[in-house]
Amino acid sequence: LAKTTQPISMDSYEGQEVNITCSHNNIATNDYITWYQQFPSQGPRFIIQGYKTKVTNEVASLFIPADRKSSTLSLPRVSLSDTAVYYCLVGDTGGGNKLTFGTGTQLKVEL
Amino acid sequence: EAGVAQSPRYKIIEKRQSVAFWCNPISGHATLYWYQQILGQGPKLLIQFQNNGVVDDSQLPKDRFSAERLKGVDSTLKIQPAKLEDSAVYLCASSYRPNTDTQYFGPGTRLTVL
């Protein structure tokens, strides 16, 4: 299983950009990088997925350097409602390296 | 589109009792997952189904946990007998295809074992 390492917690203020970095040194060639968000008393929710370079959708961007040993989730202009736990997962499409949730990063956004 | 449905939402039982959780995945999703999430931790995969076959149950405590997915749609997870350490939220998720396809999670069942 590809192991991921994330900061346990981060604090930010409304309107700021938040970058959460995930380390995955033993990522395999077929592995994709996926981020999920979880609010209290809810199941995780898919945010974004990528393989290399940069991926952007309506809620976030994902930056992946050439060596793919880390990735950064970027949340532009966060609001109070972005307070949640963010999980970085690494896994492949063929099932050889399954997506495994770590302990995640608790993001707290304040006024 | 309807999301993943789970019931009950909450359950309190005494240790050594039995309990069952039900999950109805999103229509058309062949892959179904059961996760256990202990407070303060990330979800841990217990079992993964592809249609009605088990793909991965390596982390399922088979001496007390069982799961089935008859007809490849709804699924039931059972614990018998329950232990104190089984207190957790049990999450069901489904996806169109396995592994890297987006998983859609239900609201979970919060189990408290006294």
Side-chain angles (χ1 to χ4, degrees):
Chain A
L1 295 175
K3 180 177 172 59
T4 59
T5 303
Q6 305 174 232
I8 294 175
S9 64
M10 295 182 68
D11 294 327
S12 185
Y13 294 96
E14 276 202 319
Q16 290 190 331
E17 178 184 74
V18 170
N19 296 307
I20 306 174
T21 297
C22 179
S23 172
H24 28 79
N25 291 318
N26 60 340
I27 188 169
T29 302
N30 294 332
D31 285 344
Y32 280 73
I33 300 155
T34 310
W35 286 80
Y36 280 80
Q37 173 193 55
Q38 186 175 28
F39 297 112
S41 301
Q42 295 185 24
R45 185 182 71 159
F46 173 88
I47 301 175
I48 198 166
Q49 184 182 79
Y51 183 79
K52 62 180 179 180
T53 64
K54 176 183 175 183
V55 179
T56 298
N57 62 23
E58 62 275 10
V59 297
S61 295
L62 178 59
F63 298 93
I64 306 169
D67 66 5
R68 304 201 325 123
K69 293 185 182 299
S70 67
S71 59
T72 299
L73 174 72
S74 181
L75 304 172
R77 298 178 297 281
V78 294
S79 64
L80 294 175
S81 61
D82 293 316
T83 295
V85 178
Y86 292 81
Y87 295 98
C88 164
L89 294 81
V90 172
D92 72 23
T93 57
N97 205 12
K98 299 178 182 59
L99 294 181
T100 303
F101 286 85
T103 53
T105 298
Q106 172 66 64
L107 172 65
K108 182 179 179 182
V109 180
E110 300 175 294
L111 287 172
Chain B
E1 135 185 295
V4 176
Q6 289 188 249
S7 67
R9 290 297 312 277
Y10 305 91
K11 190 73 176 178
I12 301 174
I13 61 173
E14 301 276 341
K15 61 183 179 183
R16 291 187 289 274
Q17 285 187 324
S18 302
V19 65
F21 312 125
W22 173 82
C23 173
N24 179 237
I26 292 173
S27 177
H29 281 192
T31 310
L32 186 146
Y33 312 79
W34 281 103
Y35 289 87
Q36 178 193 59
Q37 186 170 26
I38 294 173
L39 187 64
Q41 299 181 18
K44 174 183 134 182
L45 180 67
L46 293 176
I47 189 167
Q48 177 180 340
F49 290 94
Q50 184 66 18
N51 296 308
N52 61 348
V54 176
V55 173
D56 180 7
D57 62 357
S58 57
Q59 299 192 95
L60 186 73
K62 298 179 186 64
D63 58 333
R64 298 184 300 106
F65 286 65
S66 65
E68 60 182 9
R69 191 184 184 197
L70 300 176
K71 301 180 182 179
V73 182
D74 292 7
S75 177
T76 304
L77 176 70
K78 298 179 181 178
I79 307 175
Q80 180 180 13
K83 293 185 175 181
L84 297 177
E85 58 261 36
D86 297 332
S87 293
V89 175
Y90 291 85
L91 294 162
C92 178
S94 70
S95 64
Y96 183 66
R97 295 173 302 185
N99 302 316
T100 56
D101 259 23
T102 300
Q103 294 184 34
Y104 295 87
F105 284 80
T109 297
R110 182 177 297 278
L111 174 67
T112 301
V113 182
L114 302 175

